């Protein structure tokens, strides 16, 4: 199963990067969201899947799944949410100011 | 001796304050004291008995970089030149520079230069030597660009800076190699280990690097081009830096290191050829110039070439002659520059075509110029020092056979002829200079000012220098045994005693060569107009200046072009470049280190539910690429997010699943809010090649990460740290939910800053929505 999840994570990365390489801001944000999903699954598979009960201590259970990747992913989810919402507002403002969301047109001036 | 070098620098700090009173009393009068005191300090070392003095002051002992000062005959000669001519130049500048000029700047730069120059000649430590060497380049740059409002000054300053710093850096490379090979930073210690250096395989490199430094500084062919442009500096600067001191730093360097390299054949070949070619080319080009200072600049180049050639010869007599000529050249060339400055100052022009017949107006100046030019020409008269060194030069050119073989033997045949050729042109431009300015028809209407004799104060310095010319001419042995011999001894390695006399007899070859020079020279001077056309043929349109300008402009053009070729401003391009590089590097690394090992043990079993979720997610992820509608795109991304949440449920991560569900919902809501304002998704109108590159990069990256995930999963070689967390969660953290205990107890710091990230994001969003630079914007 780890291999299948790895392939899924790889697919998410591939589609995410393909979207990042597009011109429209909207597509780029979609790309970052897909990338972060891919990264979370990536971390999850690293800690072996389904090796025991959920990491909530109950009498009599000896085998638990790895809690550390879960803690890391939880932190990461929150951070990527912060970034995504910032990006969204940034895109909204950019379009408001420049009347375009095409990255090829948002190049800055000659002297930058 | 450290005080001799550092006190001028310290005193230079006070010059700007003194220069506030420049309207009442000229700043130069105070400055004059500094070089004069130094001169008096060192003059007492002159004498028949002299032994080198060594002094050390700590600077960076851990790197073996210390102020090692070493005063031997060679340093003494240079120190006396620097301080003596420095004093005279300051004296001259008092009358030359009006007090409406920025005197504070001028004297600070000048004293800085003088201290740096003293440091160069006194340092025994190569790194300290290099430090002072670059300081001379910088202060010379400042002095050449003194009249910075003048475009030519800025050009000249820039050119000299680029060329001398280029040489300085290469010299630094040579020094580093030397110190690595010998394990010492002291020049004297290196001379003691000359055998090790001569046996080293880096010897050609060391010699090349150091000579490049010396040749650029001493304006040797073809690096001579900066010197004529440096003539835009005020005349005292030209007299001091570009005739007597800085340009001789290169000669000093060659002389200082010649005890190491003199046993190496290529040292003789390179230095002699460079010197002789510079001598001929400089003197040939000098005749063509129309500007007085340009004539003197090319003449300096040729004289430096002559000294360099003699240092290259390396025979006893040649070394002696070289050092003798360093002294002689400093005296007559210094005085000639001052004469040129006086002529410029009193007539308003330096163009030799407008000048003429000034003898009646300026008899004193003309007399000084007569001695200077005739000494430079090497006219055989007993009261001119230039003749002695010229004859010694011929003498050394003939007697070159000492220990030379192979490739160099051809050179020996040619050198005497080239020496005579160069000297003939020296004779021509010297006389051209004198007769062009002081004899011939007076063209008063051409001159901006009515010429008259210079104030006496301005004449003092050239008079002192010309007295030096005459004194050395009349009593050559006065300076011979007392300090030229000591200087020659420290360059040659063993005792050098040379009895100088004026008359060698009519059958002496050197004297016959002198007669040939005078004879042909006189004919050439009188028929100058007839053969002037030859310059259209030889340099013609060729010029090293053009090559330099071309090189500089091409550097500009091409570096600009290269930068523009990849700094396109397209973020897509940068991103693609970053990813492609990462892809190539990681793939190569993984292949080289055999990183892709795949094992299929200890895998969790595959269930249909999971497969279904995974397939759905893959379909949704690929779907995001093809959706053409905003809301559809958001929902497709949402499918992926909820799929991840379901996976979290399946893989027993309840907290993750909860968070993911909530956040995915909020995200989708946010997306919908913002996308409402964003333009519609456009049709993908990229070219096929861009699409191919994008697909290649993204698929490559996906594959790479999949492979890494599988490979790292297969090489699980460490025990998990999580067992500790599970064991101690209750006892240490007081909680049963291990993930939450990790988040707030075990790794609480992560959580703190994650909160900070959210806070900052919120603030940023708030400010982006509410704050405007322009109040009226919405």
């Amino acid at each position: 199963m780890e291999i299948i999840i790895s392939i899924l994570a790889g697919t998410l990365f591939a589609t995410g990067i393909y979207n990042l390489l597009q011109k429209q801001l909207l597509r780029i944000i979609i790309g970052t969201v897909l990338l972060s999903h891919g990264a979370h699954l990536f971390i999850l598979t690293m800690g072996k899947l389904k090796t025991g009960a959920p990491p909530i201590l109950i009498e009599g259970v000896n085998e638990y799944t790895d809690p550390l990747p879960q803690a890391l992913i939880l932190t990461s989810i929150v951070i990527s949410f912060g970034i995504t919402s910032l990006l969204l507002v940034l895109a909204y403002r950019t379009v408001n100011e420049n009347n375009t969301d095409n990255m090829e047109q948002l190049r800055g001036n000659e002297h930058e | 001796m450290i005080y001799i070098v550092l006190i001028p620098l310290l005193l230079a700090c006070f010059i700007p304050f003194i220069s506030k009173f420049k309207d009442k009393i000229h700043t130069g009068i105070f400055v004059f004291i500094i070089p004069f005191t130094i001169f008096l300090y060192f003059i007492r070392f002159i004498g028949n008995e002299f032994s080198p003095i060594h002094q050390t002051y700590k600077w960076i002992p851990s790197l073996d970089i210390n102020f090692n000062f070493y005063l031997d005959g060679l340093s003494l000669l240079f120190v006396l030149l620097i301080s003596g001519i420095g004093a005279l130049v300051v004296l001259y500048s008092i009358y030359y520079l009006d007090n409406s000029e920025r005197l504070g700047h001028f004297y600070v730069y000048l004293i800085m230069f003088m201290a740096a120059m003293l440091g160069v000649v006194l340092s025994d430590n190569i790194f300290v030597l290099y430090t002072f060497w670059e300081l001379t380049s910088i202060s010379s740059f400042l002095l050449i660009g003194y009249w910075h409002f003048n475009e030519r000054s800025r050009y000249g300053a820039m050119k000299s800076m680029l060329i001398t710093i280029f040489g300085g850096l290469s010299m630094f490379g040579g020094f580093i190699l030397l110190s690595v090979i010998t394990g010492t930073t002291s020049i004297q210690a290196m001379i003691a280990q000359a055998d090790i250096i001569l046996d080293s395989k880096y010897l050609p490199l060391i010699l090349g690097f150091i000579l490049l430094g010396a040749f650029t500084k001493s304006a040797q062919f073809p690096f001579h081009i900066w010197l004529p442009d440096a003539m835009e500096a005020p005349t005292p600067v030209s007299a001091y830096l570009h005739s007597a001191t800085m340009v001789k730093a290169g000669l000093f360097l060659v002389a200082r290191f010649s005890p190491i390299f003199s046993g190496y054949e290529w040292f003789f070949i390179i230095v002699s050829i460079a010197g002789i070619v510079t001598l001929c080319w400089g003197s040939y080009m000098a005749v063509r110039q129309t500007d007085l200072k340009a004539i003197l600049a090319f003449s300096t180049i040729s004289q430096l070439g002559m000294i360099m050639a003699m240092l290259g010869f390396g025979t006893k007599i040649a070394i002696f002659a070289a050092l003798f000529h360093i002294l002689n050249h400093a005296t007559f060339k210094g005085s000639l520059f001052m004469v040129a400055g006086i002529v410029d100052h009193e007539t308003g022009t330096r163009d030799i075509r407008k000048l003429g017949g000034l003898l009646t107006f300026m008899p004193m100046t003309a007399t000084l110029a007569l001695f200077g030019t005739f000494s430079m020409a090497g006219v055989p008269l007993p009261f001119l020092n230039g003749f002695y060194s010229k004859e010694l030069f011929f003498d050394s050119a003939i007697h070159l056979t000492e220990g030379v073989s192979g490739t160099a033997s051809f050179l020996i045949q040619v050198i005497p002829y080239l020496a005579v050729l160069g000297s003939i042109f020296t004779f021509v431009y010297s006389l051209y200079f004198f007769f062009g300015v002081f004899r011939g028809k007076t063209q008063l209407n051409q001159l901006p000012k009515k010429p008259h004799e210079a104030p006496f104060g301005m004449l003092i310095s050239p008079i002192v220098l010309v007295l030096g010319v005459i004194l050395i001419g009349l009593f050559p042995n006065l300076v011979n045994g007392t300090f030229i011999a000591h200087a020659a001894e420290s360059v040659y390695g063993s005792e050098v005693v040379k009895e100088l006399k004026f008359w060698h007899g009519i059958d002496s070859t050197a004297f016959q060569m002198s007669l040939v020079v005078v004879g042909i020279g006189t004919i050439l001077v009188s028929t100058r107009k007839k053969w002037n056309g030859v310059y259209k043929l030889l340099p013609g349109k060729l010029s090293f200046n053009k090559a330099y300008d071309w090189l500089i402009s091409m550097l500009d053009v091409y570096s600009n072009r290269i930068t523009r070729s990849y700094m396109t401003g397209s973020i897509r391009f940068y991103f693609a470049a970053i990813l492609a590089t990462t892809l190539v590097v990681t793939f190569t690394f993984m292949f080289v280190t055999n990183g892709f090992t795949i094992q299929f043990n200890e895998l969790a079993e595959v269930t249909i539910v999971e497969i279904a979720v995974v397939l759905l997610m893959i379909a949704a992820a690929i779907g995001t690429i093809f959706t053409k509608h905003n809301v559809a795109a958001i929902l497709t991304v949402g499918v992926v997010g909820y799929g991840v949440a379901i996976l979290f449920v399946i893989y027993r991560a309840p907290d993750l699943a909860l968070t993911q569900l909530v956040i995915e919902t909020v995200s989708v809501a946010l997306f919908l809010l913002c996308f409402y304002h964003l333009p519609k998704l456009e049709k993908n109108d990229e070219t096929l090649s861009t699409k191919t590159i994008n697909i290649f990069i993204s698929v490559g990256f996906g594959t790479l990460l999949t492979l890494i995930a599988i490979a790292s999963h297969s090489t699980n070689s460490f025990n998990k740290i999580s067992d500790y967390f599970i064991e101690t969660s209750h006892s240490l953290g007081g909680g049963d939910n291990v993930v939450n205990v990790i988040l707030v107890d075990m790794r609480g710091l992560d959580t703190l800053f994650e909160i900070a990230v959210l806070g900052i994001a919120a603030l940023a969003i708030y400010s982006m929505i509410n704050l405007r630079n322009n109040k009226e914007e919405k």
Side-chain angles (χ1 to χ4, degrees), chain A residues 6-51:
Chain A
S6 297
I7 291 168
L8 174 62
T11 315
L12 289 178
F13 276 120
T15 49
I17 284 171
Y18 190 84
N19 274 314
L20 270 179
L21 288 169
Q22 301 297 304
K23 276 183 275 187
Q24 274 189 293
L25 271 174
L26 196 149
R27 292 238 184 251
I28 291 172
I29 298 171
I30 292 175
T32 56
V33 170
L34 289 177
L35 266 186
S36 62
H37 285 324
H40 298 157
L41 287 178
F42 200 94
I43 301 173
L44 194 70
T45 41
M46 290 294 107
K48 289 214 165 54
L49 301 170
K50 285 200 286 189
T51 46

Side-chain angles (χ1 to χ4, degrees), chain B residues 565-580:
Chain B
S565 71
Y566 66 90
M567 300 298 284
T568 53
S570 158
I571 289 180
R572 196 204 78 82
F573 173 75
Y574 300 154
F575 195 61
I578 292 169
L579 290 176

Side-chain angles (χ1 to χ4, degrees), chain B residues 139-212:
Chain B
S139 46
S140 155
F141 167 77
L142 291 169
L143 283 167
I144 297 169
Y146 177 64
W147 286 316
H148 54 77
F149 38 81
N150 202 330
E151 212 259 319
R152 294 290 309 166
S153 294
R154 295 200 300 271
Y155 173 77
M158 192 69 185
K159 195 175 190 178
S160 74
M161 180 81 157
L162 280 176
I163 293 176
T164 52
I165 296 277
F166 161 74
L169 282 175
S170 95
M171 184 188 85
F172 189 46
F175 280 179
I176 290 173
L177 278 175
L178 267 182
S179 77
V180 168
I181 289 169
T182 57
T184 172
T185 54
S186 156
I187 298 170
Q188 293 308 315
M190 282 173 188
I191 291 172
Q193 300 184 52
D195 298 342
I196 300 176
I197 299 168
L198 287 178
D199 288 340
S200 161
K201 59 177 173 178
Y202 295 113
L203 180 63
L205 220 54
I206 295 172
L207 186 70
F209 279 157
I210 289 183
L211 285 184
L212 202 57

Side-chain angles (χ1 to χ4, degrees), chain A:
Chain A
M1 197 63 226
E2 277 87 347
I3 288 172
I4 293 170
I5 297 293
S6 297
I7 291 168
L8 174 62
T11 315
L12 289 178
F13 276 120
T15 49
I17 284 171
Y18 190 84
N19 274 314
L20 270 179
L21 288 169
Q22 301 297 304
K23 276 183 275 187
Q24 274 189 293
L25 271 174
L26 196 149
R27 292 238 184 251
I28 291 172
I29 298 171
I30 292 175
T32 56
V33 170
L34 289 177
L35 266 186
S36 62
H37 285 324
H40 298 157
L41 287 178
F42 200 94
I43 301 173
L44 194 70
T45 41
M46 290 294 107
K48 289 214 165 54
L49 301 170
K50 285 200 286 189
T51 46
I56 295 166
L57 301 177
I58 303 166
E59 284 291 325
V61 180
N62 292 326
E63 200 71 16
Y64 294 102
T65 49
D66 197 338
L68 188 59
Q70 297 193 14
L72 295 179
I73 294 168
L74 198 57
T75 313
S76 167
I77 288 175
V78 175
I79 290 173
S80 53
F81 168 67
I83 301 292
T84 308
S85 41
L86 184 66
L87 273 179
L88 278 170
V89 178
L90 197 61
Y92 162 71
R93 287 291 304 144
T94 311
V95 173
N96 254 8
E97 293 278 322
N98 300 301
N99 292 321
T100 177
D101 68 338
N102 190 328
M103 285 312 288
E104 293 299 303
Q105 286 165 23
L106 294 168
R107 276 196 185 201
N109 60 37
E110 268 291 289
H111 302 288
E112 270 178 319

